[in-house]
Amino acid sequence: MHKVEHVYIDGQFVIPDGDQRLDLYNPATEERIGEVRIANEKDARSAVLAAKQAFPAMAATTKAERIDMLNSLRDAVAARPSELIETMTEEYGAPAYFAAFSVRNATSIFDIMAETVGAYDFDRVAGRSAVKMLPRGVIAAITPWNSNFGFMATKIAHAIGSGSTIVIKPAEQSAMQTQVFAERLHAAGLPGGIFNIVNGTGPVVGAALTGDPDVATISFTGSTAAARIIQRAAIDGMKRVILELGGKGPTVLLPDAELDTAIPIALMAGFTNSGQACVAGTRILAPRARLAEVARRLTNETEGLKVGDARDPQIRIGPLANAAQWERVQSYIRLGLREGATLLTGGEGRPGGVEKGWFARPTIFADVTNQMRIAREEIFGPVICLIGYDDENEAAAIANDSVYGLQAYVLSADVDRARCFADRLMAGRVVINGAPHDPRAPFGGFKQSGLGREIGSYGLDELLEPRAILTP
């Protein structure tokens, strides 16, 4: 039984003032595997004070000093990757391919930020004035449970790159992952107070951080509904908010798409991380003339996917994170049937032969209109909608007809044609023909998918404020 009893404040693992406990479960077995002691408002305040006290020295660091810090964090995280992967598998149930990517990505984030800091122009000239890009102050970061290591690494790397200090409230359901990651970060030997990590719930610790007068910037990754609460809380303190939110990504199969390659790519976009991804391409748009063929291919490919315990490297879809998420996905499958969509494969309940664990059946709906709730709302599970279109103008209109605009996908036999179509999409990122992850590309969304950007110089811009000095 794992017991997470500490939070990380001012460079030390300390017992929090809060004494509430939260049970932790293995989603593949539904077994209780541990508990975490939850922090309270007093702990949040202590963490902010530690970050505030460390800020002046951090703000005065040179490029070289920040790069050294980032390199130290990279080396510490990379030291024992198997420990991180095993913990993510046990507590979250991520398939092996995704857990391995998450750890590699967390390491590379520090590398990319070190590269960015080296090239970033902190000192500029505007007219006759000297302009310096300065950190705004303490950052409060709130992160979700679907990629714990990557989100924490991103927030910390951006803080250090900008010369800021930070307090992170990770998802409390990810406490085991948070603990092992914090131990790796601590091994880097950075001065106390630069980064602080406090396990706690959103209504208590999250609210305390967003309302704290000594917090200058709030960086939040999570649901659009929670972001609205955070934005309202930030207004009184005139805090800057950076929001990376939900998505309902379109995957557009252009008329010339080669289905032998396009269908596996489309399914991977929709089912990545067991469908628990804000970037998932959960609306597949296909030409009406090819709908029957596309539906058949999607069904056959989906029914060949292995669902089960992530310890099996052949598994493509693991369990959902918790019981509440499993029931949420089931409710949307029932909703799709009520709305009149045709169930091609999948449906309610667990996959055949699976009696335990929060496993959902990978589900494809056809005969979906873009006005159905299953096509408009983020489900956050392995559920894909197939939508037909007559021509590329209609395809672009359907793709953009969403309150979200985070990530889109285009599949075509002609890359130039795909690029032209991508130019028409209102999304923060457009992935053509399954292009690999680019760790240097800005990340963020249009519309209700967020405000601001992360990654590289675009991410630093969000955390810095220009100061101009005018001389005669």
Side-chain angles (χ1 to χ4, degrees):
M1 187 69 64
H2 303 274
K3 288 196 174 184
V4 180
E5 292 284 339
H6 299 86
V7 293
Y8 189 76
I9 297 176
D10 202 18
Q12 301 179 68
F13 290 97
V14 298
I15 299 291
D17 181 73
D19 59 3
Q20 177 187 352
R21 260 67 173 190
L22 176 75
D23 289 335
L24 303 170
Y25 294 88
N26 182 327
T29 64
E30 301 180 42
E31 294 174 348
R32 180 174 175 267
I33 56 174
E35 66 177 25
V36 54
R37 181 168 176 164
I38 297 297
N40 61 17
E41 298 95 333
K42 183 177 178 181
D43 300 305
R45 182 60 184 158
S46 295
V48 172
L49 286 174
K52 180 182 179 181
Q53 291 165 1
F55 176 71
M58 185 64 203
T61 53
T62 65
K63 275 189 177 188
E65 289 170 326
R66 295 177 195 178
I67 290 170
D68 284 346
M69 290 181 189
L70 291 162
N71 288 339
S72 295
L73 290 167
R74 174 204 61 203
D75 293 343
V77 171
R80 295 203 299 271
S82 60
E83 177 185 42
L84 299 177
I85 291 172
E86 288 166 7
T87 307
M88 187 176 188
T89 301
E90 182 180 12
E91 185 179 47
Y92 176 58
Y97 73 88
F98 187 79
F101 165 79
S102 295
V103 174
R104 291 194 306 272
N105 183 52
T107 302
S108 73
I109 284 166
F110 296 112
D111 255 339
I112 297 302
M113 185 52 67
E115 173 189 296
T116 300
V117 170
Y120 195 86
D121 193 359
F122 289 92
D123 294 288
R124 310 175 186 181
V125 175
R128 299 187 305 275
S129 301
V131 178
K132 192 174 188 67
M133 303 299 291
L134 298 172
R136 303 185 73 248
V138 175
I139 301 167
I142 301 173
T143 60
W145 40 256
N146 62 317
S147 186
N148 185 271
F149 302 141
F151 291 129
M152 291 179 66
T154 297
K155 306 300 185 188
I156 291 172
H158 281 65
I160 290 172
S162 68
S164 305
T165 56
I166 189 168
V167 179
I168 302 180
K169 189 210 85 65
E172 60 273 22
Q173 303 96 322
S174 303
M176 287 165 48
Q177 297 167 76
T178 295
Q179 179 70 19
V180 297
F181 198 66
E183 289 168 357
R184 302 311 317 137
L185 298 172
H186 176 71
L190 271 59
I194 291 177
F195 66 89
N196 307 269
I197 303 169
V198 183
N199 286 311
T201 64
V204 177
V205 172
L209 291 176
T210 55
D212 195 297
D214 289 320
V215 167
T217 302
I218 302 167
S219 180
F220 171 75
T221 301
S223 72
T224 301
R228 293 191 183 101
I229 297 171
I230 289 169
Q231 278 190 293
R232 294 187 188 104
I235 289 173
D236 288 342
M238 297 299 288
K239 304 179 192 302
R240 179 176 293 174
V241 292
I242 304 161
L243 307 173
E244 191 272 287
L245 309 177
K248 193 70 179 179
T251 297
V252 183
L253 279 67
L254 292 180
D256 68 338
E258 296 174 353
L259 297 187
D260 285 345
T261 55
I263 293 298
I265 292 172
L267 287 178
M268 179 53 67
F271 290 150
T272 186
N273 196 11
S274 307
Q276 298 175 128
C278 53
V279 297
T282 52
R283 292 183 295 149
I284 296 180
L285 279 55
R288 292 191 196 282
R290 304 185 73 182
L291 268 180
E293 182 185 12
V294 170
R296 178 177 58 80
R297 296 277 196 113
L298 287 172
T299 301
N300 291 341
E301 289 274 350
T302 299
E303 291 177 351
L305 295 175
K306 291 191 71 173
V307 182
D309 192 321
R311 288 172 293 187
D312 179 349
Q314 299 302 312
I315 292 298
R316 305 312 295 170
I317 299 177
L320 299 174
N322 51 59
Q325 190 62 26
W326 188 86
E327 181 50 46
R328 173 185 170 86
V329 170
Q330 301 305 307
S331 71
Y332 271 102
I333 293 172
R334 293 191 292 269
L335 174 63
L337 295 172
R338 290 199 304 271
E339 289 186 306
T342 299
L343 185 66
L344 292 178
T345 186
E348 283 190 79
R350 296 180 176 86
V354 177
E355 297 182 358
K356 275 191 173 183
W358 295 308
F359 296 95
R361 300 171 67 189
T363 297
I364 308 282
F365 281 111
D367 300 316
V368 177
T369 72
N370 205 48
Q371 301 312 310
M372 292 180 179
R373 284 179 57 195
I374 57 169
R376 303 197 72 79
E377 299 176 12
E378 186 177 43
I379 297 173
F380 227 62
V383 180
I384 290 174
C385 299
L386 177 60
I387 303 172
Y389 68 84
D390 288 324
D391 56 35
E392 290 186 26
N393 287 332
E394 186 182 16
I398 293 171
N400 290 329
D401 180 19
S402 172
V403 297
Y404 297 110
L406 186 59
Q407 186 154 299
Y409 304 82
V410 180
L411 298 164
S412 171
D414 184 336
V415 172
D416 289 335
R417 181 178 185 178
R419 285 198 187 100
C420 288
F421 188 83
D423 280 340
R424 305 174 68 179
L425 299 180
M426 295 293 291
R429 279 187 178 184
V430 182
V431 179
I432 293 175
N433 289 345
H437 171 64
D438 185 348
R440 293 169 177 81
F443 185 69
F446 288 77
K447 298 182 279 189
Q448 292 187 29
S449 284
L451 298 172
R453 292 292 183 270
E454 292 182 324
I455 310 302
S457 62
Y458 300 91
L460 282 190
D461 289 343
E462 300 288 342
L463 298 175
L464 296 166
E465 206 75 79
R467 181 193 63 200
I469 295 179
L470 285 64
T471 55

